[in-house]
Amino acid sequence: MISQAMEKELLSQLNAEFYSAYLYLAMSAYCSKIEFNGAARWLKLQYDEEIGHATKIYNYLVDQGVHVVLDAINQPPSEFGTVLDVFTSSLEHEQKMSELLNVLSDKALREKDHATYNLLQWFVNEQVEEEATVGEIISKLKLVKEDGYGLLMVDNELGSRPAPIPAA
Ligand code: FEO
């Protein structure tokens, strides 16, 4: 059993995860348009991963006996600039998500809601990994700058990303 306040917060986080998925799909579509197909594949897999995150929260809410009423998902941008700009936007977004999850974890602790706190710790750890991965991609893109061959290499590497393991 979770409190009504926590239920509201988790429904909002569920919406934020769906927005993340939507944002990555928009980024993927944009990269397909500018012919960075490796980046497009990477971002599409990130979309899948975000759907997994949303589903993890959804399943938790259902297990807690909550009637999940879904909210509208905001429209993401459709233009992102260079590939470096795409991943910079991704990092900024993930940093905001980490902030939301930290605030939520604090609330769970204040409420002594350890079940929700445990769920949120999975997400907090996941954020560390996501920020590190995107940060690494940004470093590589900064290194190659405008060099066509370098960009092609990075794009190829992004295209070899394996499919994510579904979140339990
Ligand atoms: Fe669901 Fe990228 O955080």
Side-chain angles (χ1 to χ4, degrees), residues 24-39:
Y24 281 112
L25 194 59
M27 287 174 170
S28 178
Y30 176 76
C31 285
S32 290
K33 189 191 81 169
I34 62 170
E35 305 281 359
F36 276 91
N37 294 317

Side-chain angles (χ1 to χ4, degrees), residues 43-106:
L43 292 157
K44 177 94 183 316
L45 288 170
Q46 191 58 34
Y47 155 81
D48 291 339
E49 200 165 305
E50 299 297 348
I51 291 288
H53 294 174
T55 306
K56 195 174 174 78
I57 297 175
Y58 172 84
N59 289 341
Y60 178 76
L61 286 165
V62 170
D63 286 348
Q64 289 285 357
V66 173
H67 174 200
V68 177
V69 178
L70 296 170
D71 211 342
I73 304 165
N74 288 336
Q75 183 180 22
S78 55
E79 301 287 334
F80 295 91
T82 65
V83 185
L84 175 59
D85 293 333
V86 173
F87 283 93
T88 302
S89 298
S90 158
L91 183 60
E92 284 167 2
H93 174 73
E94 291 304 339
Q95 285 166 341
K96 275 188 222 148
M97 292 295 283
S98 298
E99 226 173 280
L100 286 177
L101 288 157
N102 282 335
V103 171
L104 210 46
S105 291
D106 281 348

